[in-house]
Each structure stands twice: as structure tokens, then as C-alpha cells.
Amino acid sequence: MSDIERIFEQIEAGNTLAFDEELVPLLYDELRALASRRLAKEPARSLQTTELVHEAYLRLVGPNRQWNGQAHFFGAAAEAMRRVLVDRARKNRRVKHGGEMQRMPLNESDLGGNSSSVDILIINDLFDRLEQLHPKEAQVAKLRYFASFRLEEIADALDISVGAVHKYWMFARAWLYREYQK
């Protein structure tokens, strides 16, 4: 059992101090590691790791900071990072920040978590559609794409088998690739 799982169990058992004294520092460290892995794939970074962590962290520990365990937290963390990256991309897309962005060709490898040349706004729209149609696959794809989790880490976070994660990821990647080509 990971430290985060143990602390979530303490919180569920009524230990209110466990959140502020134990979980918050661990969550910050986890977010920093996730952000570092995600931004390492961006060749021209307009956002530093610390900025991404702080913005995602503020979204996660606000007044509605209730998670139903480790899987829910990591899903929320991936979603928070996604929103920060999308907000930053929208800001940079404005005319005063460089004008119209152009659609770029997508290689299948870009959906493997190495999205240096892919327009994050287009990918965001695709993830929204995937989530509506195939929620399990979208959850796995978010952790893989936005949090840069390995398949084993996703399986652990979601408490499902690595085989299931692989199946969901292969489906999501193919679906995203096909939809992007339209």
C-alpha cells in the first residue's frame, strides 16, 4: 500500500489532520513529478514545471477538495493539468499573443504521450468527445497523456489490471488518432 493510499484510509476513518499534515505535502511532490514528466515532452515550453504544479495544485486543493481515494485524486490531477495546459494554449492563441495557430499533422506516436507538435486545443476537444463516448478509456488516456503515467502506474492508480489498462489505452489511442485525421 502506498503512502497516499494509507493517508486516504486515515482520512476516511476520520483523521482530519491527516489531510493537511501528511497528504498535502505528498500530493505536492506527486504533482511536481507528474508536471515534470509532462513538460519534459514539450520542446518549446511556455510554462515551467513550478507554474504548472502551482496552478494545478490550487485547482485541486480548493474548497471542493474531496477525493474518493487515490484513483480519484490522480484523475483529478490529470484533469487539472489538462485544464491548465488548455487555458495556457488558449491564452497563447489569442491575436495579441501570436494570432491564429495552424493545424499540424498528427503522427501516431504523438498520441503515445509525446505531444510536442500537436495542438493541445484540438486534443482537448477530442478528449471531451472520447470521455462522453468511452469514459473508462478516456480516464486511462488522460492519465497516460496528461500525467505521463506508465501503464503499470495507471493500473495501480485505478486498481485495474495492466492488461485492462493496455486494452483501454490501445482503444483510446486509435480512436483519438482516427478522429484527429477527420
Side-chain angles (χ1 to χ4, degrees), residues 33-47:
L34 294 175
S36 179
R37 287 194 314 208
R38 177 65 183 115
L39 291 177
K41 298 173 181 170
E42 302 288 332
R45 298 184 345 196
S46 64
L47 190 65

Side-chain angles (χ1 to χ4, degrees), residues 1-27 29-30 67-71 73-74 156-157:
M1 173 184 310
S2 72
D3 288 340
I4 293 176
E5 286 176 333
R6 181 185 51 78
I7 296 168
F8 273 118
E9 284 182 3
Q10 289 178 2
I11 292 169
E12 288 173 10
N15 181 353
T16 56
L17 294 177
F19 182 85
D20 292 324
E21 293 177 1
E22 294 184 59
L23 188 60
V24 169
L26 277 177
L27 296 182
D29 290 343
E30 280 292 323
W67 305 295
N68 298 326
Q70 183 176 352
F73 166 74
F74 285 122
D156 188 43

Side-chain angles (χ1 to χ4, degrees), residues 58-72:
L58 289 173
R59 293 174 189 220
L60 284 169
V61 298
N64 300 326
R65 62 177 189 197
Q66 296 192 4
W67 305 295
N68 298 326
Q70 183 176 352
H72 188 219

Side-chain angles (χ1 to χ4, degrees), residues 156-177:
D156 188 43
L158 300 179
D159 197 27
I160 59 178
S161 73
V162 175
V165 170
H166 180 72
K167 180 178 99 176
Y168 293 152
W169 171 236
M170 294 304 288
F171 175 87
R173 188 171 65 176
W175 188 93
L176 289 165
Y177 181 74

Side-chain angles (χ1 to χ4, degrees), residues 3-161:
D3 288 340
I4 293 176
E5 286 176 333
R6 181 185 51 78
I7 296 168
F8 273 118
E9 284 182 3
Q10 289 178 2
I11 292 169
E12 288 173 10
N15 181 353
T16 56
L17 294 177
F19 182 85
D20 292 324
E21 293 177 1
E22 294 184 59
L23 188 60
V24 169
L26 277 177
L27 296 182
Y28 186 84
D29 290 343
E30 280 292 323
L31 282 178
R32 190 151 183 71
L34 294 175
S36 179
R37 287 194 314 208
R38 177 65 183 115
L39 291 177
K41 298 173 181 170
E42 302 288 332
R45 298 184 345 196
S46 64
L47 190 65
Q48 298 298 318
T49 301
T50 303
E51 290 177 283
L52 179 56
V53 169
H54 285 199
E55 289 187 43
Y57 185 79
L58 289 173
R59 293 174 189 220
L60 284 169
V61 298
N64 300 326
R65 62 177 189 197
Q66 296 192 4
W67 305 295
N68 298 326
Q70 183 176 352
H72 188 219
F73 166 74
F74 285 122
E79 184 65 25
M81 281 193 257
R82 172 186 173 193
R83 295 292 170 209
V84 170
L85 293 169
V86 167
D87 289 348
R88 180 59 59 109
R90 284 185 179 137
K91 179 183 175 202
N92 290 340
R93 188 176 199 167
R94 292 186 196 133
V95 174
K96 70 178 186 178
H97 289 288
E100 296 296 316
M101 296 178 77
Q102 295 181 9
R103 194 175 187 113
M104 300 184 75
L106 174 72
N107 296 321
E108 187 170 358
S109 63
D110 289 335
L111 292 174
N114 300 319
S115 63
S116 59
S117 64
V118 177
D119 182 351
I120 193 74
L121 298 174
I122 294 169
I123 294 296
N124 181 59
D125 291 341
L126 291 175
F127 268 93
D128 286 343
R129 288 183 25 221
L130 178 63
E131 192 166 33
Q132 289 175 352
L133 299 170
H134 307 282
K136 290 178 189 175
E137 290 83 351
Q139 186 178 25
V140 167
K142 276 185 201 177
L143 289 172
R144 178 82 172 148
Y145 190 83
F146 289 102
S148 298
F149 271 28
R150 294 185 325 269
L151 298 180
E152 297 79 14
E153 292 173 317
I154 296 170
D156 188 43
L158 300 179
D159 197 27
I160 59 178
S161 73

